[in-house]
Amino acid sequence: MVKKRDMNNKASFSKRISFLNARMTSTLSVSLVLFILGIMVLMGFLATNLSRHVKENIGFSIVLNESAGERQVHQLQRMLERSKYVKAAQYISKEDALKEVMIELGENPEDVLGVNPLQSSIEVKLKADYANTDSLAVIEKNLRGQVIVSDILYQKDLIQSVNDNMSRIGLVLLALAIVLMLISFALISNTIRLGAYSKRFLIHTMKLVGATPAFIRRPFIVSNVINGIVASVIAMLLLSGCIYYLMSEMENFTTLLSVPMMVLVFLSVLILGIILTAVSAYWAVNRYIRMDRDDLYYI
């Protein structure tokens, strides 16, 4: 009698260990998939921030007439700073421009020419939404009507190239995100389907005693959603480790990061973990609910 009880205890313990191993394997599998999805979400945010950073460093120079008075220059600068398309407007005098040229060339052009050949200007940095050739054409047209403006200089080809390259990067990341989402859903779905497969006869028994499909699905969905939340936390920890490593290795990496962005990335991972596991569990259990008993032996 004691021997039989020991055997039952061993069998029960073995089943628990087997269940825990299967659960752990499933959780780790889902967490790795969510980690990859998290990297894609992070890359999307970083690409957006990088695009904004690059565009906001694009600008143009307003070359001023020699006759421009200090008051007129100040008024133009204030008008630019209040404009919806300007991020920053900095006045550079002839003397400051000469100093910059001297640093670049290593000699003073005034010594050769006898006069300072440079003109004072206002360097304008645009907001990211207006850093394109179409917006610049409109801005240029409006500014050329100012009396003290001599010329407006900007690199049209460079701006067009930057916008084209950023658009291509965005399309590539979007395509990768869609492909990875489909692959991730397939992997998570297969992982959850294996768990439902092992309990297919239990599902059939519940159906025979009159349990509704919703009642049968509920424990499976709840269990897998909890599993998805745990997997999401593991994926977040892995992402945090990657971000910490990048911050320590890349000096300017922190300029592309922000606390709201990190919160959005972690929320995206959590929401994806819940949605993907819930939908996968719903479909997996539904498949066995619809099957006849005889079919359960041949799948």
Side-chain angles (χ1 to χ4, degrees):
M1 186 76 176
V2 174
K3 202 177 273 189
K4 187 174 182 182
R5 189 181 300 164
D6 289 342
M7 288 178 66
N8 288 336
N9 288 337
K10 284 181 181 179
S12 177
F13 179 75
S14 177
K15 284 181 180 178
R16 287 198 199 97
I17 293 294
S18 177
F19 174 78
L20 287 173
N21 285 336
R23 190 73 176 221
M24 192 178 296
T25 303
S26 174
T27 303
L28 288 175
S29 300
V30 175
S31 64
L32 288 173
V33 173
L34 291 174
F35 171 62
I36 295 170
L37 284 175
I39 288 176
M40 283 305 304
V41 173
L42 179 62
M43 285 177 63
F45 280 116
L46 288 175
T48 302
N49 283 359
L50 178 61
S51 172
R52 183 168 292 276
H53 179 73
V54 170
K55 288 180 178 180
E56 287 183 347
N57 279 285
I58 292 174
F60 58 92
S61 299
I62 302 174
V63 182
L64 303 173
N65 290 325
E66 293 286 347
S67 59
E70 186 178 338
R71 185 180 175 184
Q72 290 174 304
V73 172
H74 184 64
Q75 285 178 343
L76 177 59
Q77 188 176 359
R78 284 190 63 189
M79 184 198 78
L80 289 167
E81 288 172 345
R82 289 197 300 265
S83 299
K84 61 182 180 180
Y85 55 83
V86 173
K87 184 188 177 187
Q90 181 185 6
Y91 172 69
I92 298 176
S93 64
K94 293 176 63 173
E95 292 74 21
D96 291 336
L98 183 63
K99 288 176 185 176
E100 289 182 12
V101 171
M102 284 171 62
I103 293 169
E104 290 178 8
L105 300 179
E107 58 181 354
N108 190 348
E110 198 171 9
D111 294 339
V112 179
L113 302 172
V115 293
N116 184 352
L118 303 172
Q119 292 175 263
S120 56
S121 64
I122 298 176
E123 297 296 321
V124 179
K125 297 295 182 186
L126 294 168
K127 290 180 180 177
D129 295 336
Y130 296 92
N132 56 73
T133 52
D134 293 336
S135 296
L136 270 168
V138 176
I139 293 166
E140 181 184 5
K141 184 179 178 182
N142 292 334
L143 289 175
R144 284 194 182 276
Q146 297 289 329
V147 178
I148 62 171
V149 174
S150 173
D151 198 6
I152 294 175
L153 305 175
Y154 63 92
Q155 293 177 298
K156 186 176 180 179
D157 293 340
L158 174 63
I159 294 169
Q160 187 64 46
S161 177
V162 166
N163 280 283
D164 289 345
N165 288 334
M166 289 301 171
S167 297
R168 288 192 196 99
I169 291 170
L171 287 172
V172 169
L173 285 175
L174 179 63
L176 278 173
I178 292 170
V179 171
L180 274 175
M181 183 66 75
L182 293 173
I183 293 171
S184 300
F185 181 76
L187 289 172
I188 291 174
S189 183
N190 285 335
T191 301
I192 291 172
R193 194 179 295 163
L194 286 172
Y197 174 80
S198 65
K199 296 180 180 179
R200 63 194 187 280
F201 291 108
L202 175 62
I203 292 170
H204 183 72
T205 303
M206 291 173 72
K207 190 170 67 171
L208 288 177
V209 297
T212 62
F215 182 84
I216 296 170
R217 283 193 298 263
R218 191 179 300 118
F220 286 93
I221 292 174
V222 170
S223 174
N224 280 287
V225 164
I226 293 170
N227 197 32
I229 292 170
V230 174
S232 299
V233 172
I234 295 171
M236 289 178 206
L237 292 173
L238 292 172
L239 276 171
S240 299
C242 287
I243 291 166
Y244 177 78
Y245 174 77
L246 289 172
M247 288 172 67
S248 62
E249 291 295 318
M250 298 171 66
E251 190 175 339
N252 296 322
F253 186 74
T254 51
T255 59
L256 300 176
L257 285 173
S258 64
V259 174
M261 187 186 83
M262 293 309 306
V263 171
L264 283 173
V265 171
F266 288 151
L267 276 176
S268 299
V269 171
L270 180 62
I271 291 168
L272 284 170
I274 293 170
I275 291 174
L276 290 175
T277 50
V279 172
S280 298
Y282 181 90
W283 283 4
V285 176
N286 261 8
R287 182 188 180 198
Y288 298 114
I289 289 174
R290 290 194 299 266
M291 281 187 177
D292 295 327
R293 181 179 176 83
D294 293 339
D295 295 333
L296 296 175
Y297 291 97
Y298 300 104
I299 57 171

